[in-house]
Amino acid sequence: MQVIFKELTKSFEESLLESLIKNEKKEEFEKIRKNLINQASKEEYGDYQCNICLVLSKIYKSNPREIAITFIETLKENKKISNLCEDLEIAGPGFINIKLKNKVLIEEIKSNIKCPRAGVPLSHKNNSHSQKKVIVDFSSPNIAKEMHVGHLRSTIIGDSISKIFEFRGYIVLRLNHIGDWGTQFGMLITQLKDLYSSDLKEIDRIKISDLVEFYKASKKRFDNEIEFQKRSREEVVQLQSGVKKSIEAWKLLCNQSRKEFDQIYKTLNIKIKERGESFYNPFLKSIIEDLNDKRLLVEDQGAKCVFLDGMTNKEGNPLPLIIQKKDGGFNYATTDLAALRYRFNKEPNGDNAARIIYVTDHGQSNHFAGVFQVAKRANWIPKDCEVNHVPFGLVQGIDGKKLKTREGDTIKLKDLLSESVKRAKEDLLKRLEIESRFENDDFILNTSKVIGIGAVKYADLSQNRITNYQFSFEKMLSLNGNTAPYLLYTLVRISGINRKNNMTKEAINLESISYSHDLEWKLIRKLLNFDEVIISIEKDLMPNRLCNYLFELCKTFNRFYDQVPILKGEMITKISRLTLCALTEKTLKLSLELLGIETLERM
Ligand code: ARG
């Protein structure tokens, strides 16, 4: 209902200027016009509320109720407003309650039913030239290290944010900023040479069975053997200067890790383009030069850094962002600066993005605040462009501690996902037995996969991402509550209605639909909020808004389903109610797609 909301706001503005704001108060108007009308805070207040009379009463030092009475007189004369709204009512000390006319809501329902996007507008006008490019930097695990639950969260949240932007018509570049460069490769390659052959002759035939174990073993040697450490350092230099064998060994390690990551992406059905840290190597030197030219670079104890404004350490001294270490090596932050500059197109062939979104745990908030600040001061963020860090909290076990296996080891992502599918299958088999239902193996396999994976994703997305969240299979797989199975089940109910309904699509004539039941109107109002929810996520990057909305929508639908006969009434009633089922179905399907969750006809 964005369009209606905008029209209404505009008409209110016009009337406000006409009746209340005298010319000399024009600046005041600019201040207050922002929140002229808002969503009603409670259903019984109607659709929207206007609280402006209270603010005006302070400006004019008079009674808010009287102001409201005058205001309403003018509002009533506005044709647009009288077409859209029922009589405006004053409530409390001077609030104005706004209720849309039923016929306006029905027109909206009809138009959303016809619209494949359920009423969500595209962000750009019809020509593709105005399409903006958004980069979402997410997932981004590190080579030879475990992809952990933090990366899982980043992957799930980043994918959903990407999908929402794609749906709104942005050009989205999903980037996997893999940790594929850095000093750790020195020790990994040295270990490789020690374990296989020092000249790495038959490198193609090397298979490391467990890369994470391999990493741990190399790290142990690096920490304990001076000679190994020395050779590892030399190896880094060789790798950085592009010695063939070292590069080959590096590629081998990357390929192996990539295979493991890809398995997870496949299970989760995630598309992402790999562009690791190593990609930005050629640009690192010029970052130093550029910062130096702009007089931002300061030498401190041999390291080159930029001191950050407004960010201090415990002693109150400004924090440095280290750009080049004493030994000449570059940092995580240096690569991020190079990546940012490249993505905003300062380099030939850069990405030309309008917005970059980084999805990582909140432990990296300071890192990004520093990087963004330096980029701003260096003028690398073009006008009208935006950067956002999307931080999220930790994943914990139900005991509130770090997620672990029963034996106390860290949980492998693969195992975590298959555990969820396994449990979903157990639940399903139990249900089949209770209902004495027979289903074939394909059905069981697919249904448990959709539920198991969907549940993990939804549990992650439905949390306010900023807080830590407790991982509980039991909760996320429950058919009750704000869970994927509950939403999927609602969809299954609608599919059931569709199967029972013997009317053809053509027979469903929208022209005469009408509603009388309170629960119908509640559902209508929920359905019409969909576009506002999607648009708000684009601003604040909180996918849990969509989840909360869907939970509300499903509860409202299920109440309607339980209490209002859908297929039994007269033709017009039946068509009207089926229309609401169809729009609920479409909204749910589109939304679950945006959350990366597959859907089911039966479960
Ligand atoms: N590889 C990093 C990690 O595992 C995440 C990278 C996030 N993206 C970025 N541009 N820094 O913590």
Side-chain angles (χ1 to χ4, degrees):
M1 283 201 294
Q2 275 286 305
V3 176
I4 292 187
F5 179 70
K6 278 192 192 145
E7 267 178 30
L8 212 55
T9 309
K10 202 161 149 251
S11 307
F12 264 68
E13 273 178 14
E14 284 163 11
S15 305
L16 186 65
L17 278 174
E18 204 180 301
S19 74
L20 296 174
I21 305 272
K22 315 286 169 338
N23 273 333
E24 72 273 20
K25 297 277 184 190
K26 268 264 161 73
E27 340 69 83
E28 304 286 352
F29 171 71
E30 285 308 318
K31 272 187 238 154
I32 57 179
R33 68 187 288 186
K34 256 196 203 132
N35 293 317
L36 197 46
I37 59 175
N38 299 304
Q39 289 276 342
S41 56
K42 281 194 189 145
E43 260 170 48
E44 61 260 35
Y45 298 158
D47 295 292
Y48 303 108
Q49 263 175 301
C50 170
N51 302 342
I52 210 71
C53 301
L54 277 86
V55 185
L56 287 173
S57 77
K58 288 198 189 102
I59 298 176
Y60 291 113
K61 307 212 170 17
S62 59
N63 181 317
R65 223 185 149 82
E66 270 160 31
I67 296 183
I69 293 171
T70 327
F71 191 20
I72 286 183
E73 283 309 310
T74 331
L75 289 167
K76 271 186 184 158
E77 279 157 29
N78 185 309
K79 263 257 148 55
K80 268 258 161 66
I81 295 179
S82 50
N83 280 339
L84 291 172
C85 308
E86 299 285 358
D87 275 348
L88 300 167
E89 272 173 21
I90 303 180
F95 305 118
I96 301 174
N97 288 347
I98 306 159
K99 198 166 175 218
L100 293 171
K101 285 194 164 146
N102 287 351
K103 74 167 203 284
V104 173
L105 297 175
I106 291 183
E107 282 314 308
E108 283 289 295
I109 285 286
K110 281 188 204 162
S111 119
N112 287 1
I113 261 285
K114 287 181 202 145
C115 166
R117 308 170 50 81
V120 180
L122 287 168
S123 65
H124 57 279
K125 305 275 165 325
N126 281 331
N127 61 350
S128 55
H129 294 299
S130 58
Q131 256 181 309
K132 286 195 175 149
K133 188 176 203 171
V134 177
I135 291 181
V136 188
D137 172 320
F138 68 99
S139 195
S140 309
N142 303 310
I143 298 290
K145 288 198 202 158
E146 191 88 70
M147 185 167 173
H148 53 69
V149 276
H151 294 125
L152 180 70
R153 276 204 98 173
S154 171
T155 308
I156 292 171
I157 296 172
D159 179 53
S160 180
I161 289 180
S162 303
K163 287 190 158 172
I164 290 169
F165 277 89
E166 281 153 2
F167 181 56
R168 285 274 288 143
Y170 291 90
I171 300 168
V172 178
L173 182 55
R174 303 151 159 258
L175 288 183
N176 206 354
H177 191 80
I178 285 194
D180 67 351
W181 201 250
T183 43
Q184 77 269 28
F185 283 95
M187 72 181 194
L188 292 169
I189 299 173
T190 308
Q191 174 80 341
L192 204 61
K193 285 181 170 173
D194 285 1
L195 288 186
Y196 297 92
S197 61
S198 58
D199 57 359
L200 294 176
K201 233 193 192 142
E202 298 195 317
I203 195 164
D204 299 340
R205 297 177 56 183
I206 297 179
K207 279 213 171 68
I208 308 167
S209 63
D210 189 334
L211 204 51
V212 174
E213 281 308 315
F214 181 87
Y215 183 94
K216 283 188 195 153
S218 330
K219 179 86 174 81
K220 203 167 160 200
R221 288 189 69 191
F222 186 84
D223 291 340
N224 294 308
E225 298 173 30
I226 296 189
E227 186 268 344
F228 183 83
Q229 217 182 73
K230 187 166 156 271
R231 282 195 291 133
S232 299
R233 293 231 161 87
E234 286 159 11
E235 189 54 62
V236 176
V237 179
Q238 298 203 19
L239 178 66
Q240 284 178 346
S241 51
V243 172
K244 193 166 162 252
K245 275 289 163 201
S246 303
I247 295 281
E248 275 177 22
W250 169 71
K251 279 193 182 149
L252 170 91
L253 294 163
C254 291
N255 279 338
Q256 175 115 11
S257 264
R258 188 172 297 129
K259 262 187 226 145
E260 281 167 30
F261 300 154
D262 282 348
Q263 264 186 12
I264 304 275
Y265 297 138
K266 198 172 157 214
T267 311
L268 294 172
N269 197 9
I270 301 275
K271 305 232 164 6
I272 185 163
K273 179 176 165 172
E274 183 181 325
R275 196 202 270 167
E277 294 182 20
S278 62
F279 177 88
Y280 303 99
N281 273 340
F283 310 109
L284 298 179
K285 252 177 71 196
S286 83
I287 288 291
I288 309 274
E289 288 159 11
D290 204 346
L291 289 175
N292 206 19
D293 290 348
K294 288 176 174 146
R295 307 202 169 281
L296 291 168
L297 218 52
V298 178
E299 207 158 309
D300 188 51
Q301 296 166 46
K304 293 197 170 85
C305 38
V306 179
F307 282 98
L308 299 167
D309 291 339
M311 290 173 76
T312 51
N313 61 13
K314 276 194 215 112
E315 287 79 45
N317 300 320
L319 275 176
L321 190 75
I322 301 178
I323 312 289
Q324 191 169 27
K325 289 182 282 190
K326 201 173 159 187
D327 64 5
F330 298 109
N331 260 345
Y332 182 49
T334 326
T335 306
D336 257 326
L337 286 171
L340 184 147
R341 200 177 66 166
Y342 185 92
R343 291 165 180 182
F344 280 134
N345 205 22
K346 285 283 170 160
E347 328 288 342
N349 310 319
D351 295 312
N352 203 9
R355 186 170 180 183
I356 314 177
I357 296 166
Y358 300 82
V359 189
T360 77
D361 65 282
H362 63 43
Q364 300 199 30
S365 296
N366 275 340
H367 162 77
F368 283 109
V371 167
F372 296 168
Q373 187 193 112
V374 172
K376 234 173 248 153
R377 285 163 64 190
N379 260 328
W380 292 334
I381 305 179
K383 229 181 97 218
D384 300 330
C385 289
E386 200 182 338
V387 281
N388 309 102
H389 179 218
V390 173
F392 53 78
L394 303 172
V395 184
Q396 301 169 321
I398 358 182
D399 53 3
K401 298 205 186 106
K402 210 176 155 201
L403 199 62
K404 288 199 179 108
T405 61
R406 272 191 213 115
E407 291 73 37
D409 299 325
T410 46
I411 295 186
K412 289 211 165 76
L413 285 193
K414 243 191 305 182
D415 299 344
L416 185 127
L417 295 172
S418 48
E419 173 76 15
S420 184
V421 174
K422 192 183 117 208
R423 291 189 187 221
K425 185 174 168 185
E426 286 163 8
D427 289 353
L428 173 63
L429 292 177
K430 255 186 244 154
R431 232 176 326 122
L432 292 182
E433 198 181 312
I434 293 169
E435 295 169 18
S436 311
R437 223 166 96 197
F438 175 80
E439 299 287 356
N440 65 25
D441 288 351
D442 280 353
F443 175 88
I444 293 171
L445 198 76
N446 181 54
T447 310
S448 21
K449 201 190 86 202
V450 172
I451 297 178
I453 301 295
V456 171
K457 287 190 180 184
Y458 191 81
D460 213 326
L461 291 164
S462 57
Q463 301 294 318
N464 177 332
R465 60 173 163 74
I466 294 163
T467 51
N468 296 344
Y469 103 87
Q470 298 192 342
F471 191 96
S472 153
F473 282 123
E474 219 159 294
K475 258 198 214 149
M476 66 179 72
L477 286 165
S478 166
L479 271 171
N480 299 310
N482 192 5
T483 64
Y486 176 68
L487 304 191
L488 289 171
Y489 180 67
T490 308
L491 208 45
V492 163
R493 274 188 146 177
I494 303 178
S495 301
I497 302 169
N498 294 342
R499 280 194 294 272
K500 269 189 229 144
N501 167 33
N502 46 16
M503 272 193 332
T504 60
K505 274 223 166 89
E506 297 72 52
I508 297 187
N509 174 6
L510 284 180
E511 283 325 302
S512 50
I513 56 173
S514 74
Y515 299 98
S516 54
H517 202 293
D518 188 37
L519 289 173
E520 290 173 330
W521 287 111
K522 286 211 160 98
L523 182 56
I524 288 170
R525 290 196 150 84
K526 273 276 164 316
L527 285 166
L528 294 180
N529 273 337
F530 183 46
D531 59 344
E532 273 163 22
V533 175
I534 297 294
I535 290 169
S536 74
I537 299 177
E538 194 179 305
K539 293 201 188 96
D540 62 18
L541 307 170
M542 297 288 244
N544 64 311
R545 279 185 194 279
L546 180 56
C547 300
N548 291 341
Y549 167 74
L550 292 177
F551 184 42
E552 291 295 317
L553 175 66
C554 286
K555 281 193 289 187
T556 313
F557 176 82
N558 283 321
R559 233 172 285 142
F560 159 81
Y561 178 94
D562 289 336
Q563 294 178 37
V564 183
I566 295 170
L567 294 173
K568 288 197 190 112
E570 279 172 42
M571 196 55 138
I572 290 180
T573 318
K574 191 169 150 183
I575 291 175
S576 304
R577 292 178 179 167
L578 280 172
T579 304
L580 295 186
C581 293
L583 190 54
T584 308
E585 183 180 33
K586 179 155 66 180
T587 308
L588 264 170
K589 278 193 175 160
L590 280 172
S591 303
L592 286 167
E593 162 62 33
L594 293 177
L595 298 172
I597 296 173
E598 282 180 62
T599 56
L600 298 162
E601 294 268 308
R602 296 185 302 124
M603 67 189 260

